[in-house]
Amino acid sequence: MAEPPLSTISGWGRQSALGRELVGEDLEKLSLRASLSRGLGRSYGDSSLPADDQRTVLNTRFADRILHFDQETGAIRAESGLALSELNRLLMPRGYFTPVSPGTSFVTLGGLVAADVHGKNQHRDGNFGDHVTALKMRVGDGSIIECSPEEHPDLFFATVGGMGLTGHILEVEFALRRIPSEWVWQENRRIHDIDEFQDALEEAASEWPYSMGWIDCLARGKNMGRGILMTGDWAEPEHAPPTPPKPGFRPSLRFDFPSWALNGLTIRAFNELYYRKQWRHESSGIVSYASFTYPLDAIRSWNRMYGRRGFTQYQCVLPREAGRSSARRVLEVLTARGGASFLCVIKDFGRESCGLLSFPRPGITLALDIAVRDDTQALVDALNEQVLREGGRIYLAKDSFTRREHFEAMEGKRLDEFKAVRDRWDPERRFQSAQSVRLLGD
Amino acid sequence: MRVAFLGATKGMGRALARLMAERGDSICLLGRNPEDLERSAADLGVYGNGPAVPCVPCDLENPESFTTAIESSSEALGGLDAVVVSAGVFAPQEELEADPELVERLLRVDFTNTVLFCEAAKKALLAEAAGTLCVFSSVAGERGRKPVIIYGAAKAGLTRYLEGLDHKHNGDGLRVVTVKPGFVKTSMTAGLQPPPFAGEPEGVARQVLRAIDRGTPVVYTPSIWRLIMAVIRALPRAVMRRVGF
Ligand SMILES: Cc1cc2nc3c(=O)[nH]c(=O)nc-3n(C[C@H](O)[C@H](O)[C@H](O)COP(=O)(O)OP(=O)(O)OC[C@H]3O[C@@H](n4cnc5c(N)ncnc54)[C@H](O)[C@@H]3O)c2cc1C
Ligand SMILES: NC(=O)c1ccc[n+]([C@@H]2O[C@H](COP(=O)([O-])OP(=O)(O)OC[C@H]3O[C@@H](n4cnc5c(N)ncnc54)[C@H](OP(=O)(O)O)[C@@H]3O)[C@@H](O)[C@H]2O)c1
């Protein structure tokens, strides 16, 4: 088979790298020729990009067959390129939903495992990896093996959240969750500052299975961290509309916005409008699961809004021990540098992760979308220094600017354990990504 | 609808078979790799939310397998309403020019053996008194073009054959649907630079299924390729000698 041509491969934030991208249905065959797998490229930074232009990455999107599904229990096994959007489309009408979903449905099962994705229900249900019962993998010595929490547990727990660095995930087996309808009862509430936010999320956690908040990142002073708390739960059939939600029209951004389009002024206008839209103190109602879970999926290629230089998302978690005002201190770093974030999300985490290098831990997480400018590196450095002081860490699936020394300081012992598993399973470091070169020194 | 399907393991065939399964058609899978067929059968079983999907071995490189395969699928489904052939191979012109054996194999698979398979399918469908034969040819067969001289010749031959079948047997209840995809993003075209108007397998599948239901004799898919090919067919020889496509 011919070598795929050299091409530009990019992540969602539009950072890109030169490399070769294989694509095909037969992962068993193709994985022998690749040093990394990637799915739908929804990770923002460089985690799905090849380590260098000599490398081949395997795009799994055509390997999407469902190999087993049990209508009684919701147990499912599928090839790793299956997209969550397709799974939802097919199985929600049969009463099943993924136990954990990120804020977009355009992700693959492989990506859900490799990033050990969290959703609005992290405080209750943990991460995607907590619901995985087995993985079929191509590992460093070229063999194909099955791993699970019982079988080769070291490999399993390093692969969950391991960002593709332990081998190719070929198949994923996990447990779907029963849902009463495809509709969600959503309640929104205005929040006046960041400390109130931390309290409100904590309160909501005991009451609601799904919760998260949107923050107006431009509000300063006593308004800093004001925003909207959104909570939700599945609607029972008797409260839901009689027919399932209709798939909406999805317009697409077909061109890059010029880089001046997103400036302080437009960001301010958007955030102000969004905050005012929630003009009542509280509101509630029945909405489709898609509008609740995937508001951003309504516009395809919305990442083009940021223009050619792209953007990054800075996502960190601040441990509970850091206290009530930890989020305020991080936001202060952003505002002090005049950094503008178009979108800023806050969420509490309630559970430890099972993955060796997974991101979530009990505490509060902030995710800031930031357009790439000349000073972005300095901003991320400053944010990372603050996060280090709080004892927190960053999310690899979003990162492209963190420095290796910051990452090592954040991860400490966890990183040593992760390296030990890689030494066992892939001593020659066959599996690498642009990110692992940057952060793990591959 | 009871469908014998050759080529449903990948690409446009996979997408079309899923659509059929989802709306409740019964499918029998034909293909060359039994283990892989079983995986596709499992997938279609979930899409169909119904009984297990039978599989029958059939290799386009082995014409002896054709009649038995068609008979077995008819037996498995209790008769046939349609036969779909989306199996086929592709190779870039440069690769073919460097390898005469590959040329021979491509011509055999995409033309000779596909025609032989259709002959076997035709017999079974005519015996049912009514039925649809849906075969994937290509826009590459519309005009001799530099990047697809040999592949295009095989598809041109296939298109003519299907046209003749339609002319002869339309009155006998055999409906022939010739699918002419333009550029569609499947693993067959991975590594080629997609032109504007490249299609996705799911969109193609919806269009082809409509054509099967209506008995449309020729489908260009995505539809814009009907127009593109009309232009390309109209270009004078002097122009075709110069351009790269
Ligand atoms: C709008 C938006 C909202 C998001 N919201 C959330 C959220 O709420 N919570 C959250 O946790 N994340 C969120 N994300 C991030 C996203 O869920 C993850 O980055 C996810 O991993 C993307 O999946 P993918 O299939 O696109 O993988 P890619 O981006 O292609 O790859 C991601 C990583 O997974 C590895 N990988 C992928 N497939 C395989 C495989 N088969 N075998 C081995 N390794 C593999 C890659 O090597 C890479 O390291 C969001 C992203 C977007 C764009
Ligand atoms: N993609 C395009 O842009 C394009 C354009 C014009 C025309 N077409 C034509 O459309 C059809 C489908 O194309 P596609 O892109 O969907 O192709 P694809 O993804 O490569 O799938 C090809 C299918 O053919 C099967 N096949 C190949 N050789 C076979 C053999 N010897 N015996 C049995 N089955 C065999 C494969 O089965 P295995 O799983 O066993 O490999 C697979 O299911 C082909 O006829 C192609 O020529 C495609």
Side-chain angles (χ1 to χ4, degrees):
Chain A
M1 217 177 147
E3 186 100 58
L6 207 57
S7 63
T8 306
I9 306 171
S10 26
W12 188 243
R14 311 197 68 196
Q15 269 86 11
S16 60
L18 270 185
R20 299 177 192 277
E21 189 167 18
L22 269 177
V23 53
E25 285 85 352
D26 191 348
L27 295 187
E28 286 204 9
K29 192 170 89 196
L30 299 175
S31 57
L32 279 170
R33 299 167 50 197
S35 61
L36 187 74
S37 273
R38 74 193 304 250
L40 286 164
R42 253 42 177 209
S43 50
Y44 284 67
D46 52 5
S47 48
S48 74
L49 306 184
D52 56 60
D53 60 10
Q54 299 307 307
R55 302 267 178 170
T56 301
V57 293
L58 170 55
N59 187 317
T60 62
R61 71 214 305 168
F62 288 158
D64 63 350
R65 287 178 295 193
I66 301 176
L67 305 171
H68 173 78
F69 168 64
D70 186 335
Q71 177 65 37
E72 290 305 305
T73 63
I76 186 166
R77 187 183 182 98
E79 293 171 340
S80 63
L82 177 65
L84 188 52
S85 52
E86 180 66 359
L87 191 71
N88 290 343
R89 189 191 67 74
L90 191 68
L91 295 184
M92 287 190 79
R94 300 187 205 170
Y96 281 105
F97 189 58
T98 177
V100 169
S101 178
T104 173
S105 61
F106 303 118
V107 295
T108 62
L109 298 185
L112 288 171
V113 174
D116 196 14
V117 161
H118 59 269
K120 293 179 172 65
N121 57 346
Q122 205 284 345
H123 59 281
R124 282 217 182 154
D125 301 313
N127 313 331
F128 191 79
D130 291 309
H131 308 269
V132 175
T133 47
L135 299 171
K136 184 174 178 181
M137 296 190 61
R138 163 87 62 196
V139 290
D141 67 2
S143 62
I144 290 184
I145 64 164
E146 185 88 3
C147 68
S148 71
E150 294 80 35
E151 205 174 347
H152 305 303
D154 62 333
L155 177 67
F156 179 84
F157 291 116
T159 301
V160 168
M163 305 310 289
L165 300 175
T166 55
H168 302 280
I169 302 167
L170 309 178
E171 292 172 14
V172 179
E173 186 186 281
F174 64 109
L176 291 167
R177 144 136 343 156
R178 266 220 176 272
I179 49 167
S181 75
E182 294 178 51
W183 298 89
V184 172
W185 175 260
Q186 178 174 0
E187 285 190 18
N188 287 0
R189 195 175 111 202
R190 251 198 214 189
I191 302 289
H192 301 95
D193 70 38
I194 187 70
D195 294 331
E196 184 187 335
F197 231 131
Q198 258 181 295
D199 293 343
L201 277 166
E202 221 159 276
E203 264 169 54
S206 58
E207 218 179 309
W208 294 92
Y210 296 95
S211 66
M212 55 87 83
W214 164 84
I215 289 181
D216 172 0
C217 260
L218 294 169
R220 306 275 155 100
K222 73 173 178 22
N223 285 335
M224 182 158 76
R226 71 174 186 182
I228 299 168
L229 174 73
M230 300 169 203
T231 51
D233 195 355
W234 294 103
E236 290 303 322
E238 58 270 28
H239 302 135
T243 52
K246 285 204 178 51
F249 166 64
R250 299 204 310 118
S252 172
L253 274 192
R254 291 194 172 261
F255 56 91
D256 297 330
F257 277 21
S259 59
W260 47 261
L262 271 195
N263 54 35
L265 216 69
T266 46
I267 294 178
R268 188 174 299 278
F270 169 83
N271 278 272
E272 189 71 33
L273 263 173
Y274 202 87
Y275 184 67
R276 296 289 161 204
K277 200 181 87 177
Q278 181 66 36
W279 57 277
R280 273 180 309 191
H281 194 69
E282 280 176 29
S283 66
S284 57
I286 298 261
V287 297
S288 78
Y289 79 94
S291 100
F292 181 70
T293 316
Y294 310 119
L296 290 169
D297 283 359
I299 301 173
R300 274 182 296 167
S301 332
W302 58 263
N303 54 344
R304 306 192 75 162
M305 183 178 77
Y306 287 90
R308 221 163 280 217
R309 278 190 86 177
F311 68 117
T312 186
Q313 187 174 90
Y314 183 81
Q315 184 169 7
C316 60
V317 58
L318 312 166
R320 227 171 244 161
E321 306 81 80
R324 185 165 180 262
S325 293
S326 57
R328 170 181 293 277
R329 292 190 291 271
V330 170
L331 283 186
E332 267 162 4
V333 173
L334 179 75
T335 45
R337 299 195 141 255
S341 168
F342 189 66
L343 205 73
C344 173
V345 167
I346 186 169
K347 160 88 193 123
D348 60 316
F349 286 156
R351 283 181 48 171
E352 232 16 282
S353 308
C354 69
L356 210 48
L357 215 53
S358 296
F359 166 63
R361 61 182 291 184
I364 198 95
T365 181
L366 288 169
L368 316 162
D369 281 13
I370 298 166
V372 172
R373 303 275 183 261
D374 293 336
D375 61 353
T376 304
Q377 181 67 55
L379 174 61
V380 171
D381 287 345
L383 287 165
N384 277 336
E385 275 152 24
Q386 184 57 36
V387 167
L388 265 170
R389 280 192 283 275
E390 306 289 349
R393 59 191 185 221
I394 52 126
Y395 190 12
L396 290 176
K398 309 286 176 76
D399 184 60
S400 40
F401 285 95
T402 293
R403 292 180 195 276
R404 187 173 168 195
E405 57 268 27
H406 285 152
F407 182 66
E408 283 174 347
M410 287 171 192
E411 294 297 348
K413 214 172 105 250
R414 295 207 315 160
L415 197 54
D416 297 335
E417 286 173 40
F418 186 71
K419 281 184 177 155
V421 178
R422 282 181 93 200
D423 287 342
R424 256 192 318 277
W425 287 92
D426 181 24
E428 280 149 34
R429 299 290 190 265
R430 281 197 47 188
F431 305 117
Q432 295 187 8
S433 65
Q435 188 168 64
S436 77
V437 171
R438 178 168 59 86
L439 291 178
L440 300 173
D442 282 352
Chain B
M1 197 162 71
R2 296 159 301 177
V3 192
F5 207 130
L6 178 62
T9 45
K10 293 186 177 137
M12 293 181 257
R14 177 184 292 187
L16 177 58
R18 281 175 163 181
L19 272 190
M20 290 176 152
E22 237 185 307
R23 69 172 198 182
D25 293 339
S26 313
I27 300 172
C28 179
L29 290 180
L30 279 64
R32 53 182 163 171
N33 178 342
E35 243 173 78
D36 198 54
L37 277 187
E38 286 302 335
R39 293 167 70 90
S40 282
D43 182 63
L44 293 173
V46 177
Y47 272 77
N49 201 13
V53 172
C55 300
V56 167
C58 179
D59 188 340
L60 262 188
E61 297 205 39
N62 174 17
E64 284 86 73
S65 64
F66 297 167
T67 304
T68 332
I70 301 267
E71 278 169 4
S72 312
S73 40
S74 175
E75 226 164 86
L77 300 177
L80 286 179
D81 303 303
V83 176
V84 179
V85 186
S86 63
V89 291
F90 174 81
Q93 184 61 22
E94 315 83 73
E95 236 172 88
L96 287 161
E97 280 169 16
D99 184 352
E101 266 176 50
L102 185 61
V103 174
E104 192 276 331
R105 196 170 75 92
L106 184 136
L107 292 175
R108 192 155 41 83
V109 168
D110 284 351
F111 179 66
T112 314
N113 289 359
T114 302
V115 168
L116 290 174
F117 183 85
C118 291
E119 286 291 292
K122 172 194 78 178
K123 267 195 213 124
L125 290 170
L126 283 173
E128 301 267 356
T132 301
L133 177 62
C134 170
V135 184
F136 282 65
S137 184
S138 172
V139 297
E142 303 273 283
R143 187 92 205 252
R145 291 190 291 122
K146 293 172 190 170
V148 286
I149 301 174
I150 289 165
Y151 172 78
K155 291 295 192 183
L158 179 61
T159 300
R160 283 297 158 267
Y161 162 76
L162 294 167
E163 186 183 20
L165 267 195
D166 170 74
H167 293 169
K168 178 162 180 196
H169 290 295
N170 190 265
D172 311 331
L174 181 70
R175 303 204 286 183
V176 179
V177 175
T178 305
V179 182
K180 296 181 181 176
F183 189 106
V184 180
K185 293 180 197 163
T186 66
S187 45
M188 186 176 275
T189 54
L192 304 177
Q193 184 61 35
F197 314 118
E200 300 285 346
E202 291 74 23
V204 168
R206 279 192 295 277
Q207 221 184 320
V208 173
L209 190 57
R210 219 176 308 129
I212 291 175
D213 289 343
R214 293 182 188 165
T216 315
V218 176
V219 204
Y220 287 84
T221 178
S223 314
I224 180 81
W225 286 87
R226 177 181 290 277
L227 197 75
I228 297 171
M229 292 322 293
V231 171
I232 291 182
R233 276 198 311 270
L235 291 177
R237 183 183 295 269
V239 174
M240 290 306 285
R241 281 179 176 165
R242 278 197 201 165
V243 295
F245 55 79

